Amino acid sequence: MPESKNLLRMMEIDKSFPGVHALKEVDFDLAEGEIHILLGENGAGKSTLIKILAGMYHADSGQIEISETPTIIPDARTGRDLGISVIYQELNLVPDLSVAKNIFLGREPVLPGIMKRVDWARVEQESLAIMERLDVKIDVNAPVRSLSVADQQMVEIARALVFDCKILVMDEPTSSLSGHEIEELFKAVNRLREHGVGIIYISHRLEEVHEIGDRVTVLRDGEYMGTWEVKEVELDFLITQMVGRTLDEKFPWTPREHGEVALRVRGLTRNGVFEDINFDLHYGEIVGLSGLVGAGRTEVARAVMGADPVDSGTVEMTRATKEKEEIQNLPHYPLWMAILDVVVLIMALPLFTVIFQGIYDPVTLNMNSPPPLFSGKWFYEWIIGGPLYNIPNGPTPYIVAAGLVVLRQAGLWFMERQYHWRTLVIDFASWYALAIGAMVITSLFTQNFVLEWVMIWGGVAMVLIRFLTILTYERKWTPTLAIRRGLGLLPEDRKTQGLTQVLSVAFNTTSANLRRLIKRWLLNLTMEKDLVDEHINQLKIMTPDQETQIRFLSGGNQQKVVLAKWLFRRANVLIFDEPTRGIDIGAKFEVHSQMLQLAKDGAAVMMISSELPEILGMSDRILVMREGQLTADIGRNDATQEQILRYAMTAD
Amino acid sequence: MANVAEAPVRPSASLLAKFNYEKYGLLVVFIMMMLIFYILQLMGYVNNFIEAHNLTNQLRNASLLFFIVAGQSMVLLVSGIDLSQGSLLSLSSVVMAQGILDFGLAVGVLMGIGMATMFGFINGYLVGRVKIQPFIVTLSMLFICAGIALVFTGGRTIHQFTGEQKDILQTIGLTDFFHIPGTLFIAIFFFIILYLLTKRTVLGRAIYLTGGNEEAARLSGIDTGKVKLICYLISGICVGITSFLYLARLPATNGLAGFQLEFQSLAATVVGGTTFHGGEGGVTQAVIGTLFLTFLLNGLILLGVGTFAREVVVGVLLITAVVLSSRKRRE
């Protein structure tokens, strides 16, 4: 639009963060009534540029002109006063206030007077007027909570208009909208354009470029690649402009043999986040999962781990039998079983009393008025014995009963066996043998079967409870179960999800496999110290000693501790989520080498990364996600940066 | 370790610099406090502070308080809070007393401890499985238990035990061995068990990991809900044992037996160094906190400080403890 006035011009904007040169002399300009699309892959510098414009960051050098006058934007407030509004992906609305109140939040018109009361009538009228101007039908008195995401976005736009905004920045506004809602949004945006507002539009959907944009600017790795009229460029051309980050980094990749399937994911779906994810992971393989930020990669990884619930789909892990010790690490005596055993012991006490001391005194065969069931007296006689059955009190039956239970547990313990369905059968059988035996013996002497019925139904209940516990235990895919099957996740946010900052290196390293340290009922701290030292040396973790709290370690070393945790667990299916984000080059190489070593030793590795060179450098196979769907599965030799980006940004 | 980046420890580092203030600082303060009271005693301001009878009594008080402080510590370790301890103690002790009257000693004690355990379980279930805010759950439970206890007794005191029952109870509660109260031995035994539980078992590690960072613990395969449940359960059991020991010391109880005891236990726990953030502190800290609070209050009483003024002192102490621990955290 050559005839329209120039609204914004950013010249030679330069910005560095510690370790990163985020923007390298970037130019950008915006005319009145124009929609200017800003493109670039993850970390290309789009959001840095926007934040400089909004006044949240300060450029190291460069100039900003607004309406042809040089301007300095020291803070966000000034930016707003200059007519710059930014609508971020996460909407900033107060859910419980009404639409009108949200629109005028922080700028409520006041009535004259000392009290400065808010002129709510005017708030409502003007909100209605703005909604009319945008031509959308939203009840301005409804709470924002009740609106759809699309309508909430309209409220954000309306809010920007109240600021008398001349430059509107929209950061991926369509990422959570459906087809129809996108049309509505585009209509509203076009209406704004007709009113002369300049719009900077950031999107990851390349097809939108032609649909709505006037001009397009591409950033790559903080560098300005150029600005074109949308009508003159092809999508493929834009993609080639976006990729091409230098591949000078070294990756320790070597070819390997791949084994059988380790992890099988089928039809994994969480509504609105990801949909129908299918993939296999083989032993000895490194699979890269690429895609743009927000495509749902982390969410898929967490779902596979069992950390977040899914709506449908299965995760299947073919159990590795390669290591025998893996089986030993299974819990051999779960806590719930211990509690049940105590209950069994208590219930069994009177039974043992009967068996070991228990011929009734002929005098008390007269039982005209037994105490009512579950009454205090009944309970007393049942637990301790008493006049009803005239069972003499004495320690022998209790000692014998307790001894039997202890023996059984000791046996389980020394066999180091996990709780197995066979145990259930043994429980079942022994219980009934005891109950029926007691019934037969007592029936010789008395007509009263209360105790025996309690025993039998108690046994049924007990077995049912155990059965249900085992069934639900197996069915629900939780991190506990996933880890037991050999899965390990190195989360994206290691500070808050991977490690406990206030605890020591040793505590964190052993946290995923504490049972490995058990020797004779207690944790063996000497063994822990030795094993942790081993891992610290193996991964070259820089730490004064293993008692040091995690928060005193650098990012790279923290990441190594997370890795040590899974090495200590001997996990053989590992998911690395952005393993090298924010860590220095040396630690990066270390993490890559360890990843490769793991794969060489036969583990299956999945690596999520936003850096295309890392994906291309380390993976044997590359999966690409786009907006919650897997769009590609490419072999190492066929993959190029352009191709991955095309799958990540465009609908087939 | 070969790859340590740090410079070697300077040989000139004095003993004072090596001292672990975080761990033993309070112990030093405690000893200093005792010394100050002793000096005051020598100067004649305080009567009978360092004296066999008083020390025995205070150790008995401390050993009773220790149980609930230990329970509270377990709950604070998983970044929870148990406000229901005091009223649960009332409830469990009146149920225990009534049980002893109706069904005999053994059954009564079991009923009381069982009642406390059950409410501890309910607390734990609501926090760990239903995932309600611990503050809300235990506050509600405070009212529920206090209400039941008062309705149950109708405001009366229960004391009508037989002579034999009283004898047995007071033997447990009041016997001294060479001026050392018997309850102290029970407390020490319990301390050893809890110490091993927190430091040397999988559950103990899970407690620290859950309190330190719940999400990380969950992703390490720890069932955090279960761990929390167990901590509240332990708190309940502790309350049950305390109510038994209270009843054994003085064979009479009413619906207000444990009135506001939760605040004492919270104060002792926090003063000891277990933080509200979870994951920091432990049973040892509970011991120090209990001793500190008991002897401080006792010393103040003997110094002639009134009830309300003592509460001011406890308040100031609490704020000091929290400020110190948060400063430590920020470093």
Side-chain angles (χ1 to χ4, degrees):
Chain A
M1 262 126 262
E3 70 274 14
S4 61
K5 214 168 75 180
N6 209 334
L7 204 57
L8 167 76
R9 176 170 290 154
M10 299 172 87
M11 283 167 297
E12 300 185 348
I13 302 289
D14 208 278
K15 175 77 188 169
S16 290
F17 294 107
V20 194
H21 200 168
L23 291 175
K24 296 163 195 159
E25 309 208 328
V26 171
D27 296 326
F28 187 82
D29 64 301
L30 182 70
E32 248 177 29
E34 179 197 41
I35 297 179
H36 194 146
I37 294 182
L38 190 54
L39 277 181
E41 37 156 340
N42 303 320
K46 291 167 300 186
S47 35
T48 313
L49 188 68
I50 292 313
K51 281 179 178 161
I52 288 173
L53 178 60
M56 288 162 77
Y57 291 160
H58 300 271
D60 297 340
S61 67
Q63 257 192 327
I64 301 175
E65 279 179 13
I66 290 177
S67 310
E68 314 278 342
T69 42
T71 318
I72 296 162
I73 308 173
D75 53 33
R77 199 186 182 84
T78 319
R80 219 169 53 183
D81 293 343
L82 287 166
I84 300 163
S85 284
V86 184
I87 300 176
Y88 293 101
Q89 236 174 319
E90 311 85 42
L91 302 175
N92 289 312
L93 297 170
V94 186
D96 287 316
L97 289 184
S98 74
V99 170
K101 284 180 185 176
N102 261 297
I103 291 175
F104 278 88
L105 196 67
R107 268 151 312 133
E108 290 88 350
V110 289
L111 292 167
I114 315 165
M115 295 293 287
K116 296 208 168 176
R117 281 181 304 137
V118 175
D119 190 349
W120 291 122
R122 221 179 106 195
V123 165
E124 198 179 324
Q125 280 168 16
E126 289 193 13
S127 302
L128 276 172
I130 292 168
M131 286 300 172
E132 228 159 82
R133 195 171 139 202
L134 282 171
D135 195 20
V136 285
K137 288 172 200 70
I138 298 174
D139 178 8
V140 294
N141 288 318
V144 163
R145 189 187 288 288
S146 65
L147 303 183
S148 67
V149 180
D151 284 348
Q152 291 187 17
Q153 212 138 36
M154 290 298 176
V155 176
E156 280 273 13
I157 294 174
R159 206 171 151 188
L161 287 180
V162 174
F163 276 115
D164 191 22
C165 115
K166 286 181 242 138
I167 300 167
L168 180 65
V169 183
M170 302 178 86
D171 190 1
E172 286 202 63
T174 53
S175 60
S176 50
L177 303 186
S178 65
H180 172 70
E181 290 169 334
I182 292 174
E183 269 174 40
E184 287 291 311
L185 181 79
F186 283 178
K187 264 192 227 163
V189 170
N190 276 322
R191 216 156 292 129
L192 286 181
R193 164 157 66 178
E194 283 154 22
H195 282 94
V197 178
I199 293 163
I200 302 173
Y201 190 100
I202 300 174
S203 180
H204 282 148
R205 297 187 191 218
L206 283 182
E207 54 267 42
E208 284 174 1
V209 171
H210 282 109
E211 221 172 299
I212 186 166
D214 297 321
R215 281 194 299 166
V216 52
T217 291
V218 176
L219 294 182
R220 176 213 291 176
D221 224 356
E223 262 173 278
Y224 174 72
M225 299 308 294
T227 304
W228 301 271
E229 290 284 328
V230 162
K231 286 168 215 139
E232 295 166 8
V233 286
E234 292 289 314
L235 283 189
D236 282 347
F237 172 73
L238 290 175
I239 289 174
T240 50
Q241 289 301 314
M242 269 187 280
V243 300
R245 288 177 69 174
T246 43
L247 279 167
D248 51 3
E249 233 179 296
K250 284 269 177 286
F251 293 99
W253 187 87
T254 50
R256 268 156 282 116
E257 288 281 305
H258 297 170
E260 4 170 344
V261 177
L263 175 77
R264 192 175 283 138
V265 175
R266 288 287 174 271
L268 207 63
T269 302
R270 179 147 105 243
N271 297 335
V273 183
F274 50 83
E275 206 182 328
D276 196 23
I277 304 291
N278 298 293
F279 63 85
D280 287 345
L281 208 56
H282 300 260
Y283 286 114
E285 190 183 32
I286 300 177
V287 172
L289 180 55
S290 182
L292 296 164
V293 173
R297 299 167 305 171
T298 299
E299 287 77 6
V300 167
R302 284 179 59 87
V304 168
M305 188 69 186
D308 293 334
V310 290
D311 291 315
S312 65
T314 57
V315 177
E316 197 186 318
M317 290 189 69
T318 51
R319 229 182 277 231
T321 48
K322 155 173 80 73
E323 277 180 88
K324 234 186 175 163
E325 51 213 350
E326 200 68 23
I327 293 160
Q328 284 186 1
N329 287 332
L330 294 170
H332 22 77
Y333 187 31
L335 183 96
W336 56 267
M337 192 178 142
I339 293 169
L340 278 181
D341 274 322
V342 173
V343 176
V344 168
L345 170 62
I346 292 169
M347 288 198 70
L349 279 178
L351 192 69
F352 287 118
T353 315
V354 171
I355 289 170
F356 290 99
Q357 288 195 327
I359 312 296
Y360 292 109
D361 191 322
V363 181
T364 54
L365 271 181
N366 174 18
M367 281 193 289
N368 289 328
S369 55
L373 215 56
F374 300 117
S375 66
K377 209 169 169 196
W378 175 86
F379 186 69
Y380 181 83
E381 294 189 352
W382 185 54
I383 291 282
I384 293 171
L388 176 62
Y389 298 132
N390 199 19
I391 297 162
N393 292 325
T396 326
Y398 299 97
I399 293 169
V400 171
L404 280 176
V405 173
V406 168
L407 262 182
R408 171 165 174 269
Q409 294 324 324
L412 275 173
W413 185 263
F414 284 112
M415 285 188 296
E416 295 204 322
R417 292 275 288 279
Q418 63 164 318
Y419 193 64
H420 196 264
W421 61 269
R422 260 174 269 148
T423 325
L424 196 85
V425 173
I426 294 167
D427 280 352
F428 198 82
S430 53
W431 187 280
Y432 275 87
L434 286 173
I436 293 168
M439 215 167 119
V440 170
I441 294 170
T442 50
S443 65
L444 294 174
F445 302 98
T446 165
Q447 311 301 308
N448 188 313
F449 291 106
V450 173
L451 181 65
E452 289 69 33
W453 283 116
V454 170
M455 295 294 302
I456 286 174
W457 288 112
V460 171
M462 206 70 63
V463 169
L464 275 180
I465 290 169
R466 285 192 178 192
F467 215 68
L468 283 175
T469 318
I470 288 176
L471 284 182
T472 52
Y473 203 65
E474 289 292 324
R475 205 176 280 157
K476 202 171 166 202
W477 189 250
T478 59
T480 316
L481 190 53
I483 289 168
R484 192 172 303 166
R485 295 276 163 80
L487 187 65
L489 170 69
L490 289 86
E492 185 182 13
D493 189 353
R494 56 184 163 265
K495 278 206 159 68
T496 62
Q497 294 180 2
L499 296 166
T500 307
Q501 296 287 321
V502 294
L503 295 181
S504 68
V505 173
F507 271 42
N508 276 289
T509 306
T510 55
S511 65
N513 196 6
L514 288 164
R515 282 167 213 280
R516 192 172 156 190
L517 299 173
I518 294 179
K519 276 274 160 69
R520 299 196 198 293
W521 300 90
L522 295 174
L523 298 177
N524 188 331
L525 300 183
T526 338
M527 186 159 103
E528 178 179 38
K529 199 166 167 8
D530 295 345
L531 285 171
V532 171
D533 264 344
E534 225 171 77
H535 283 91
I536 287 177
N537 289 329
Q538 186 191 341
L539 293 176
K540 303 191 184 68
I541 300 171
M542 293 291 188
T543 168
D545 58 49
Q546 47 171 281
E547 309 302 324
T548 311
Q549 290 186 11
I550 287 290
R551 61 199 166 118
F552 298 121
L553 266 58
S554 69
N557 281 312
Q558 290 196 9
Q559 184 68 297
K560 285 184 194 171
V561 176
V562 185
L563 187 56
K565 180 167 101 175
W566 296 116
L567 290 182
F568 184 78
R569 174 63 196 91
R570 302 200 194 91
N572 48 22
V573 182
L574 281 157
I575 303 176
F576 290 73
D577 194 353
E578 302 280 4
T580 58
R581 170 179 291 175
I583 70 181
D584 59 279
I585 299 283
K588 220 174 194 174
F589 191 79
E590 200 71 48
V591 169
H592 286 149
S593 309
Q594 284 297 332
M595 200 186 286
L596 188 80
Q597 189 57 44
L598 277 165
K600 272 184 187 163
D601 294 345
V605 175
M606 178 171 225
M607 180 184 66
I608 300 173
S609 177
S610 293
E611 288 180 40
L612 285 178
E614 187 178 30
I615 287 275
L616 288 168
M618 285 305 297
S619 330
D620 306 336
R621 193 153 62 87
I622 295 158
L623 304 174
V624 186
M625 274 189 81
R626 175 180 176 273
E627 292 180 9
Q629 282 173 325
L630 269 186
T631 47
D633 184 345
I634 322 168
R636 178 185 177 86
N637 299 328
D638 309 330
T640 58
Q641 295 203 38
E642 286 84 5
Q643 200 183 7
I644 293 173
L645 213 56
R646 188 170 300 123
Y647 281 118
M649 294 181 95
T650 54
D652 330 88
Chain B
M1 279 163 286
N3 49 23
V4 172
E6 299 289 303
V9 180
R10 274 167 295 138
S12 61
S14 68
L15 211 65
L16 214 66
K18 277 190 209 161
F19 187 75
N20 191 342
Y21 289 99
E22 254 178 52
K23 248 183 178 161
Y24 305 111
L26 191 72
L27 201 64
V28 174
V29 176
F30 174 66
I31 292 166
M32 270 162 60
M33 181 191 79
M34 297 297 273
L35 272 177
I36 290 170
F37 278 123
Y38 186 56
I39 292 166
L40 286 174
Q41 185 181 351
L42 291 180
M43 288 162 72
Y45 292 110
V46 179
N47 292 324
N48 307 327
F49 182 68
I50 304 291
E51 189 255 344
H53 187 68
N54 183 50
L55 288 182
T56 308
N57 266 333
Q58 292 322 308
L59 280 179
R60 183 176 294 119
N61 283 347
S63 55
L64 295 198
L65 187 61
F66 168 71
F67 285 90
I68 51 173
V69 176
Q72 190 73 261
S73 301
M74 304 303 274
V75 174
L76 282 195
L77 275 182
V78 289
S79 52
I81 186 170
D82 192 349
L83 293 172
S84 66
Q85 280 189 326
S87 53
L88 182 54
L89 190 131
S90 309
L91 177 61
S92 117
S93 82
V94 296
V95 166
M96 190 179 292
Q98 193 62 45
I100 292 174
L101 289 184
D102 292 353
F103 308 108
L105 201 63
V107 177
V109 172
L110 275 182
M111 278 170 71
I113 295 179
M115 180 66 81
T117 312
M118 190 182 83
F119 273 94
F121 179 83
I122 295 172
N123 273 337
Y125 190 84
L126 290 176
V127 173
R129 292 283 182 233
V130 189
K131 310 219 183 299
I132 311 175
Q133 287 285 320
F135 191 90
I136 306 294
V137 170
T138 55
L139 187 69
S140 324
M141 209 52 82
L142 185 158
F143 292 123
I144 293 171
C145 293
I148 297 177
L150 286 170
V151 170
F152 187 79
T153 54
R156 286 185 302 275
T157 299
I158 305 174
H159 59 85
Q160 306 87 341
F161 305 111
T162 64
E164 193 193 358
Q165 284 169 344
K166 276 185 188 169
D167 280 348
I168 297 175
L169 283 174
Q170 298 214 327
T171 310
I172 297 169
L174 288 175
T175 312
D176 297 343
F177 305 92
F178 308 109
H179 295 300
I180 300 168
T183 47
L184 187 65
F185 292 108
I186 306 177
I188 289 172
F189 178 68
F190 196 71
F191 165 74
I192 292 170
I193 289 177
L194 277 186
Y195 185 83
L196 287 179
L197 179 87
T198 48
K199 302 285 179 195
R200 297 286 302 277
T201 64
V202 175
L203 175 64
R205 281 295 173 83
I207 287 172
Y208 277 94
L209 289 163
T210 305
N213 185 347
E214 197 179 338
E215 182 64 12
R218 206 165 72 90
L219 289 176
S220 302
I222 293 165
D223 185 348
T224 54
K226 189 168 79 181
V227 171
K228 285 182 176 179
L229 197 158
I230 291 170
C231 283
Y232 284 90
L233 189 72
I234 292 175
S235 174
I237 294 171
C238 289
V239 169
I241 296 172
T242 319
S243 72
F244 169 63
L245 292 177
Y246 268 109
L247 199 66
R249 190 175 59 166
L250 175 74
T253 186
N254 59 30
L256 291 172
F259 184 63
Q260 289 198 346
L261 212 59
E262 61 272 0
F263 295 114
Q264 258 195 53
S265 94
L266 267 174
T269 312
V270 173
V271 167
T274 304
T275 62
F276 276 98
H277 305 286
E280 288 176 294
V283 201
T284 326
Q285 277 85 342
V287 174
I288 301 174
T290 310
L291 287 175
F292 191 82
L293 193 72
T294 313
F295 280 99
L296 177 72
L297 288 178
N298 176 243
L300 290 176
I301 291 172
L302 294 179
L303 199 60
V305 178
T307 318
F308 306 124
R310 282 206 303 277
E311 285 180 6
V312 175
V313 173
V314 173
V316 171
L317 185 72
L318 264 185
I319 290 180
T320 317
V322 172
V323 167
L324 286 178
S325 80
S326 69
R327 262 184 57 182
K328 186 185 84 189
R329 235 183 135 75
R330 224 175 293 140
E331 267 165 21

